[in-house]
Every structure is written in C-alpha cells, then in structure tokens.
Amino acid sequence: MSEITLSELEKQYGDTTAVEDVSVDIRDGELLCLLGPSGSGKSTTLRMIAGLEEPTSGEITINGEDVTDQSAYERNTSTVFQDWALFPHKSVLENVAFGLKMRDVPKEQRRERAEAMLERVQMGGYGDEDPTNLSGGQKQRVALARSLAVNPDVLLLDEPLSNLDKRLREDMQIELREIHEDVEETFVHVTHDQDEAFTLADRIGIMNEGELIQVGEPTEVYENPANRFIEGFLGDTNFVESEAVRVTDDAVHVETELGYELVLPSDGDPDVTEGAELTLSLRPEVLSIEQDAAADSMEGHEQPVLADGSTLNAVVGTVENVLYRGSTVRYSVSVNGTSMFAERTGANTDALTAGEEVRIEWEGDDVLAFRPDGSQVTL
Amino acid sequence: MTETPTRVPTSIAAVRERIAGQSSSNRALLLMAPLLAFELLVFVIPFFILLRISFAESSANFVYAEGTVSLEAYASVLTNELLWSIVGYSFLIGVVVTVLSVLIGLFYAYAIWRSTGLVKSLLLFSVVLPLLTTLVIRTYAFRPLLSPTGTLNEILLSLGLLSEPISFYPGTIAVVIGQLYIVLPYAVLAIYSVLATMDWHVVEAARDLGASRPRSILEVVVPQVMPGIIVATVISFAWSVGAYAAPGVLSSSLTFAIQVEDMMYGMRYPEAGAFSVLMLLLMLASIAIIFTVLNRFGGEFDLA
C-alpha cells in the first residue's frame, strides 16, 4: 500500500528525449494504466519507478520518501517483465522465493510464502518444474507470484500480457483485476492495448511522444479526451475536417468536407471564432445508419435536418464496402466523395449492401471538436 | 492434366535417397566420418604408438629398444622425485593461470556483453588481436616488458611504487603472465559465446527483487554462463599445465613439456612416453574433477 509521486520526470538518451516532464500522483492502492503507442515513453517511465533507469531530471517519491537516487535493489518495487524474465536455471519455487532470499528470509518461511503465492496464481504443485518448460500463461503467473511474494510497495507491470494470445490475455486481465482487489496494493500497468487499459484500470494515464497527456478514469478520458490524439487513440472514430461559418450563443455552424453544413449545439458562448478550422470526431457508436427511404428527396448540400428544434444531424451517402466483424458490421460510406464509416451490431439482420444509398444520423451533442493544435474545443 | 509423378533418376537423387533411407544414427555417423578419420590419424594412432614406446626398454643404440615389453620406464618415472616436483610446478602454473584467466575472462566477457556500438567492437577486436601474432613472438615480447630493467619496472619505479626493481623475468611471475596472455582470449570467447545468448532482463529482474550488483551476478549470471566457464577452465588448465613456450621463453624452470623434450633429446623415448602417459591420466582426472565441481554450480554439461 503506497502512494507514488512522479514530478517533472525526464529521461534523455543522447539527443532524444524518451520521457518529458511527466508528473503524476499515483494513489494508494489504485491500478493505474499507462497507455500509449510504442515509443511513447510509458515503459521508460515504469523502469524509472523501478529504478532500472536513472531519470535525467525530476523526482520520484514512494510514501513521501525520495527514492530518485536509490538503485533498483534498494527500492521495494517489483516488476513483471514483458518476457517475464524468469531465472531459467532455478525451479519455479526458487524463482518465486528469490526476492525473499535476497531479503534474508529464513529458508522454511520463504518456502511457505512462495508456495502460498503459487497457490494464489493457480500454479500450486508446479514448484519443482523447470520454468523453461512452462507455457506462456504459466510463466506469466509465476512471474506475477515472484513479484508479489516480496510484498512490494508497488507492483509494476511492463506489458506482461502482450505475449499471450487474445483469449488467454482476456482471461488474465480479469484475473489480474481480481488479484489487484485481493492484495490491495498499488499497481502500475503499462500497455499499448486500449481494451486492456479499459478492462484493468482505475485510472488511465495516456502517453504520447514522451509526454503524459491526460490522467483520468476510463470514462473520463474516453468521453472527454484532452486532445485529438487521445480521441484517435482510444478507439476508432471518423475525423471530419471543417470550418466554422457561423457562431451563435447556442450553436456553431460548420461547413464540412462531407459537403454538408452541420450544427454543433453549445451550452453557451462557444470558444470558437468564425473562420476557425475544426476537426470533428464522429464515433461509430453515436452514428446510426439506415437505408435511406427518402434518398431521392435529399440533396447533396442541404442544411442539416432540424426536427422539432433538436440538433439531429444527418448526411446521405453510398455504401462502399461492408466489413463483417462478428459482433459488429462496419460499413464504409462515401459521402460526396469523402469516406466515413458507421457500424451496426452483427445481430441486425437487415443487412445493407454495397452500392446502397444510406442516411447516417447522430445527435449534435455527441460530436467533439478539436483545434488544429489538437486541443479540444469547449462547446 | 497428367497425374504421373515425374522422377529424375540422377545420381545425386539416388545418393540422397540412399542417405534418407539410413537410420538417423547411421546418418550422423556418416556425417562425422571425416572428423573421426582425422582424429584417428592425428590423435588415436599416434597415442597408441606413444603408449607402445612407453612400454619398451631403453636402448643404447636407438631411441628405444624395438620389440621389448617392460615397465622399466614407468618405474623410473614414478620413483624420480625431480619429475614429481616438475609435475607439481606444472600444475601450480596451470591452477594459477586458470583461476586468473577465468576470473578476468568473466569480467571481460561481461564488459563486452554490456557494451554497445564502437566500444563493443573495440573490446571484441582486442580479444582477437593478439591471436594475429605468433605465440612465440608474443611471448618473447614479455622479456623486455618484465625484465629488471624493463618497462614495467621503470614505470613502477618512476611512480614510486617500488624502491628497487623486481625481477619478474626470468621467473614464475613472467611465466604466469605470459601463459595468461596466451589463454585469455579463448577464455573470454568461450564465456562470451554463452553470455551473448543471455537475456539482460533476467539480471534486471534479480536486481529488481533486491539483489545487489555482485549478488545478481553470482545468483543469475554465473550459473547461466557455467557451460562457458567450464569450457574456459578446461582450455586454460589443459593448455597451461602442458605449456611449453611461456616457461621455455620466460623462465629457466622445468615444466612437464620441457622435461619431456629433454628426455627426448637424451634419447630416452620410453621414459618420455611413460611420463606423458602418466601426465595424460592426471589431466583426465583433473578435468573430471573440474566438471564435477563446476557442474554443481549450475553447469548444464553432463559428464559423459
């Protein structure tokens, strides 16, 4: 149980900056996921917490104690590595007991503790095995037991699930979540997989190009991303380029590359000037796609449909191709020459086919807008 | 569409088929045949000739008396105390050089493993570089370096670390240094070849779990590179015990190899042969002990 503070953490390798100005308070007992594409500095950040990398500048404290200058073996942190890094010449039990041996725990005690940990990760009875003979999932469990055995202040997980196949990975995510609840310790988990972060995390920290862009609960970062990068990274979306043509107190009217003028409702006094370039994000889950019964009556450049004062937006296009993905079906639609996509659940048997005219609709409230510098516009 | 399989009855295909028809152990034997023939020719047959001569009587007219069978040479060798002191001295050189070469080799190999880029290339190149010069010339080069008026003494004197020169050469220190210089590259390469396949994360994991630097090396690195250490130990030990050039050039001490040469100059081939056979047995016993002891510390070699 412990709190970790990173303040203005920075890591440079020669001229390249791997981690830049990362500051975050990791709460006691939470599971924080550092999420980002490869090369975003998330692993380096984790390794600095472990003491395996020395920060170029900045400070790390654990429970208020400055550990920045302590080496890895002096810190009571424990890492589960991506390739698990089990000791190949030691038995499974010796692996799990290793940290206790380094802490001079008497032999009988560490044996008991190691066996209990193996039991905890459902690897009881494997103590005498040679770790090189285990499967990926089993190695993963042993590595977890080895790290938990020392009762660390914080458990650091460096993409430990990425070498497992999809099904096993999903099972392990649930199990990891349970273990976290069970042991009540602080976990920092690094991953590049959004689904994994959403499944596991109490809070998600999103990193890109060495910077920690946003830290928040999963719903918060998903529904209110700090910038366009996060919106694009956290799931599929349609980015539509547009220009603000008319700004009123309660709405922003934009001319889009779709060839339609759309309306973005505002809570009042939108932070946009006329003529500003905006990138709109239309997530597939807010779009509904229907066979367009009224296709004949729709003209390409019509104003958005405003039914009884609400701000329903609609565009009309042609289905280009259909991608069946099991639980969902994805339709790629050409709207006045610009491609966008919408989804239906796979259960919807009323399938659309390529070449069909369709109408895509959404609530104006569900659209996010970003400035050219990536920041989100408050509407 | 024709469904007849085409067969090309060339001679290579025929040979291939014949080889494929062999059982796997036969095939392995076939592949090893050139090596086995070579070993037979340069090692096994000469050894039996040596063994035969060691059981011959000495002769006043020839290097040994042909057609005789006797234990005379063995009796003479076994009762000669001088020879036993030579054996002891040879083993002493062997043990000291081996310990030094394995220790330094381990550190050096670790340094190569952990370095990157140009430094790594330079370190590797420096290991191989000495092998480009003849062993004898390399060994002679230690004379001016180690003599009482040599470079090393001058440096130590000018630094004030010595008040009067030490005679490294000629003597045992020079022999150890010279022999170490000969075997070290092989020790480094033997250890490095195993180390290079090791995963650095395993060392990080050990440190992460609370092992200090020295402890992580002892607990994790050494057991894993034990196969390399065993090879380095055997090469260093066997070569140093039987060393010829370094003791010959850098000291006036008698070692096993030089003594055998003396016996041969003295036309005492049976004695030289008996001495060599006994030495060979001692070496085999020593290597068996090395294997057994080092295997306990995590080596993966089974003693055949």
Side-chain angles (χ1 to χ4, degrees):
Chain A
M1 294 286 266
S2 40
E3 294 171 353
I4 297 138
T5 318
L6 312 182
S7 33
E8 292 165 22
L9 213 54
E10 193 154 320
K11 178 69 184 176
Q12 285 176 333
Y13 296 104
D15 289 339
T16 49
T17 305
V19 172
E20 200 177 341
D21 193 23
V22 166
S23 300
V24 62
D25 291 329
I26 301 166
R27 297 171 191 159
D28 190 7
E30 83 168 327
L31 199 163
L32 176 78
C33 271
L34 290 178
L35 175 67
S38 48
S40 60
K42 55 193 192 302
S43 278
T44 310
T45 305
L46 191 84
R47 289 170 58 81
M48 286 194 283
I49 302 175
L52 296 168
E53 299 282 349
E54 212 179 310
T56 311
S57 65
E59 200 184 75
I60 302 167
T61 67
I62 298 177
N63 288 333
E65 188 195 353
D66 185 352
V67 297
T68 319
D69 296 324
Q70 287 184 1
S71 43
Y73 77 92
E74 294 170 304
R75 297 183 194 185
N76 194 24
T77 60
S78 192
T79 310
V80 180
F81 291 84
Q82 183 169 9
D83 53 7
W84 311 306
L86 298 177
F87 307 128
H89 59 284
K90 294 183 190 291
S91 73
V92 166
L93 194 79
E94 283 171 333
N95 263 279
V96 178
F98 185 84
L100 301 168
K101 188 178 170 190
M102 294 304 109
R103 285 160 173 76
D104 298 320
V105 174
K107 199 166 187 174
E108 205 39 54
Q109 246 171 291
R110 64 182 191 240
R111 191 187 174 83
E112 266 169 40
R113 169 99 176 135
E115 272 166 359
M117 288 321 298
L118 282 175
E119 209 67 55
R120 177 65 194 84
V121 298
Q122 295 168 31
M123 286 293 287
Y126 282 87
D128 294 331
E129 293 280 323
D130 180 345
T132 48
N133 295 335
L134 301 181
S135 71
Q138 291 173 325
K139 284 181 187 169
Q140 152 74 56
R141 287 162 196 273
V142 174
L144 199 58
R146 182 178 70 176
S147 290
L148 286 170
V150 298
N151 232 328
D153 286 337
V154 55
L155 185 71
L156 306 165
L157 300 116
D158 190 1
E159 307 214 24
L161 306 180
S162 61
N163 284 341
L164 304 177
D165 59 58
K166 189 172 185 295
R167 188 61 188 275
L168 187 56
R169 190 164 66 228
E170 286 168 359
D171 289 347
M172 281 306 295
Q173 286 167 4
I174 305 292
E175 206 174 315
L176 204 54
R177 183 81 242 184
E178 285 169 7
I179 289 173
H180 174 248
E181 277 158 23
D182 190 39
V183 299
E184 298 182 322
E185 296 193 31
T186 312
F187 281 31
V188 180
H189 183 106
V190 158
T191 181
H192 61 266
D193 180 341
Q194 303 86 344
D195 293 339
E196 189 169 307
F198 282 121
T199 309
L200 287 173
D202 293 322
R203 285 196 304 159
I204 297 178
I206 294 164
M207 294 194 68
N208 188 35
E209 294 179 350
E211 288 181 73
L212 183 62
I213 307 169
Q214 187 178 9
V215 183
E217 285 172 15
T219 47
E220 189 185 336
V221 291
Y222 189 78
E223 283 168 13
N224 197 10
N227 67 14
R228 186 192 148 140
F229 166 78
I230 296 177
E231 178 72 356
F233 186 68
L234 288 185
D236 294 329
T237 189
N238 291 288
F239 280 122
V240 176
E241 298 305 326
S242 70
E243 189 189 330
V245 288
R246 195 152 59 85
V247 180
T248 65
D249 263 0
D250 54 2
V252 178
H253 294 251
V254 292
E255 186 65 51
T256 66
E257 60 175 334
L258 298 173
Y260 283 85
E261 191 183 305
L262 303 175
V263 180
L264 310 174
S266 170
D267 296 337
D269 199 15
D271 184 18
V272 186
T273 51
E274 277 176 23
E277 281 178 40
L278 297 176
T279 304
L280 310 182
S281 169
L282 306 176
R283 284 203 180 275
E285 65 264 26
V286 307
L287 303 179
S288 73
I289 177 168
E290 296 297 335
Q291 245 164 340
D292 184 30
D296 297 336
S297 65
M298 293 287 289
E299 288 295 323
H301 289 264
E302 249 178 72
Q303 291 288 315
V305 178
L306 293 172
D308 51 298
S310 77
T311 51
L312 185 74
N313 286 318
V315 296
V316 170
T318 315
V319 174
E320 278 180 324
N321 63 57
V322 180
L323 191 60
Y324 184 70
R325 307 212 294 187
S327 58
T328 58
V329 185
R330 173 173 290 193
Y331 300 98
S332 181
V333 177
S334 169
V335 180
N336 290 323
T338 304
S339 238
M340 62 185 289
F341 70 90
E343 285 177 357
R344 270 184 175 184
T345 64
N348 191 334
T349 50
D350 182 19
L352 302 169
T353 52
E356 219 165 326
E357 289 277 299
V358 289
R359 174 209 290 263
I360 300 175
E361 293 178 345
W362 65 91
E363 294 280 345
D365 291 323
D366 292 332
V367 177
L368 298 180
F370 300 92
R371 294 190 189 86
D373 68 1
S375 59
Q376 205 202 134
V377 177
T378 323
L379 289 166
Chain B
M1 281 224 277
T2 57
E3 301 228 345
T4 39
T6 52
R7 294 195 55 173
V8 190
T10 62
S11 60
I12 290 175
V15 169
R16 271 205 192 142
E17 210 159 287
R18 248 195 357 236
I19 292 174
Q22 310 263 5
S23 75
S24 66
S25 65
N26 275 349
R27 234 179 300 159
L29 217 59
L30 202 64
L31 286 166
M32 276 166 62
L35 183 68
L36 290 176
F38 183 78
E39 287 287 336
L40 197 69
L41 209 64
V42 304
F43 185 74
V44 180
I45 294 174
F47 176 73
F48 279 107
I49 296 172
L50 177 87
L51 197 64
R52 175 67 192 92
I53 293 174
S54 74
F55 284 106
E57 284 172 19
S58 55
S59 156
N61 313 320
F62 189 51
V63 289
Y64 64 97
E66 275 184 272
T68 53
V69 177
S70 132
L71 289 173
E72 183 190 286
Y74 284 92
S76 137
V77 168
L78 286 168
T79 53
N80 188 336
E81 276 181 30
L82 173 68
L83 290 187
W84 287 108
S85 74
I86 290 171
V87 170
Y89 183 72
S90 300
F91 270 86
L92 177 75
I93 299 275
V95 169
V96 173
V97 171
T98 303
V99 168
L100 289 174
S101 93
V102 171
L103 278 180
I104 299 172
L106 196 57
F107 276 98
Y108 198 106
Y110 186 83
I112 303 176
W113 186 46
R114 290 307 301 146
S115 59
T116 52
L118 188 65
V119 178
K120 189 185 198 110
S121 307
L122 277 175
L123 285 174
L124 262 172
F125 185 64
S126 317
V127 177
V128 188
L129 193 64
L131 303 178
L132 301 178
T133 322
T134 324
L135 187 149
V136 176
I137 291 173
R138 262 186 287 154
T139 308
Y140 265 106
F142 279 106
R143 282 188 172 184
L145 282 173
L146 299 174
S147 77
T149 55
T151 321
L152 183 63
N153 268 304
E154 272 175 26
I155 291 171
L156 290 176
L157 283 169
S158 67
L159 288 174
L161 294 169
L162 284 183
S163 53
E164 55 187 74
I166 296 178
S167 177
F168 300 112
Y169 158 80
T172 303
I173 294 178
V175 176
V176 168
I177 293 174
Q179 184 61 27
L180 182 60
Y181 193 66
I182 293 169
V183 296
L184 189 58
Y186 301 96
V188 170
L189 293 175
I191 295 171
Y192 176 67
S193 64
V194 181
L195 206 49
T197 64
M198 227 181 95
D199 180 7
W200 171 244
H201 282 158
V202 173
V203 183
E204 286 194 327
R207 300 219 172 129
D208 189 58
L209 289 164
S212 60
R213 269 161 193 273
R215 195 129 188 226
S216 65
I217 303 240
L218 274 180
E219 285 277 350
V220 173
V221 180
V222 170
Q224 280 194 79
V225 294
M226 202 43 90
I229 293 178
I230 290 176
V231 171
T233 307
V234 170
I235 292 177
S236 303
F237 186 73
W239 197 338
S240 303
V241 171
Y244 175 77
V249 170
L250 298 171
S251 78
S252 49
S253 314
L254 285 175
T255 61
F256 154 71
I258 294 170
Q259 178 61 29
V260 169
E261 189 190 33
D262 277 0
M263 287 169 165
M264 290 171 76
Y265 280 148
M267 300 297 230
R268 294 178 289 153
Y269 273 36
E271 263 185 73
F275 195 28
S276 302
V277 171
L278 288 172
M279 219 33 205
L280 191 74
L281 292 175
L282 282 174
M283 287 300 293
L284 282 175
S286 311
I287 288 169
I289 292 168
I290 291 172
F291 266 72
T292 321
V293 172
L294 290 184
N295 258 316
R296 292 215 172 162
F297 294 100
E300 278 160 17
F301 281 4
D302 289 322
L303 188 55

